[in-house]
Amino acid sequence: SNNDGIWSTHATALKIALQPHFYQTKPFMASWVLVILGIAFGAHRVRVRSLKKREEMLQVAIEARTSDLRESTAQFQQLADNIREIFWAIDPQAARYKYVSSAFEQIWGEKQADLIRDAAVWFRRVHVEDQERVRLIKRRQLAGDTEEFEYRLLSVDGRLSWVRDRA
């Protein structure tokens, strides 16, 4: 309409087209998705490589310690096999022998494997008069008490010998 309020009989139109900002376009959004995926993938690769390197380092450490343990075990075994004293290790919860040195067979006249299978083998050669006292002291040893005592053994051929037991 003009200033007098009269409307024109010829209509005109003005067409305005607004272009989106570059950051509002689909290609820009797609490129950002690709960038974020690339960063995530790169971070994942770095983490995996780091974990693999740590695993390799741990494997080397485990192998070194296992080798040291084998060597230490072999040295202990050699020592235990060449000393005339009996070394033994027992599981206190199960009251079962886990290890006994080869001197056990020489002194007791019983097999190591039999003792490991059945702890009662320890008492087979103990003199009858000493058995109750030995059982009592062995129970205290299992409970963690430090005990040192002597008792008698009867060998297979009937010889009497004395044993000093310290745990």
Side-chain angles (χ1 to χ4, degrees):
S1 77
N2 62 15
N3 287 342
D4 297 332
I6 299 172
W7 284 94
S8 169
T9 57
H10 297 41
T12 50
L14 179 61
K15 191 172 189 179
I16 299 175
L18 293 176
Q19 295 293 322
H21 293 285
F22 75 96
Y23 55 86
Q24 295 173 323
T25 62
K26 287 182 181 181
F28 183 82
M29 296 286 191
S31 65
W32 265 109
V33 167
L34 289 175
V35 167
I36 291 171
L37 287 174
I39 291 172
F41 179 73
H44 174 71
R45 295 288 298 162
V46 167
R47 178 72 176 148
V48 167
R49 194 175 315 128
S50 166
L51 289 174
K52 283 185 179 182
K53 185 178 265 186
R54 178 149 171 79
E55 180 184 14
E56 289 170 2
M57 289 171 44
L58 287 172
Q59 191 65 34
V60 167
I62 287 169
E63 288 170 6
R65 288 188 180 166
T66 301
S67 175
D68 291 346
L69 182 61
R70 278 192 194 110
E71 184 178 327
S72 176
T73 301
Q75 289 173 349
F76 172 78
Q77 188 69 44
Q78 184 179 18
L79 176 70
D81 288 344
N82 291 305
I83 292 181
R84 185 153 157 72
E85 269 118 32
I86 299 171
F87 290 90
W88 50 271
I90 196 165
D91 177 355
Q93 279 78 28
R96 295 183 60 105
Y97 287 91
K98 293 168 35 174
Y99 171 81
V100 64
S101 64
S102 60
F104 176 78
E105 291 185 5
Q106 297 163 358
I107 295 171
W108 249 253
E110 301 281 351
K111 299 280 185 206
Q112 293 168 285
D114 292 343
L115 178 64
I116 290 173
R117 209 173 312 112
D118 180 14
V121 170
W122 188 273
F123 302 100
R124 282 186 191 161
R125 300 279 174 228
V126 174
H127 192 280
V128 175
E129 294 174 8
D130 295 341
Q131 281 190 5
E132 190 55 41
R133 184 172 59 93
V134 171
R135 288 182 196 282
L136 175 68
I137 292 172
K138 285 291 183 190
R139 277 195 290 270
R140 290 200 316 244
Q141 287 176 343
L142 280 173
D145 290 350
T146 302
E147 296 284 343
E148 184 172 338
F149 64 104
E150 293 180 353
Y151 52 94
R152 296 169 287 179
L153 289 181
L154 282 173
S155 66
V156 177
D157 62 5
R159 272 185 310 119
L160 185 65
S161 58
W162 283 89
V163 173
R164 176 171 289 177
D165 191 321
R166 182 178 23 196

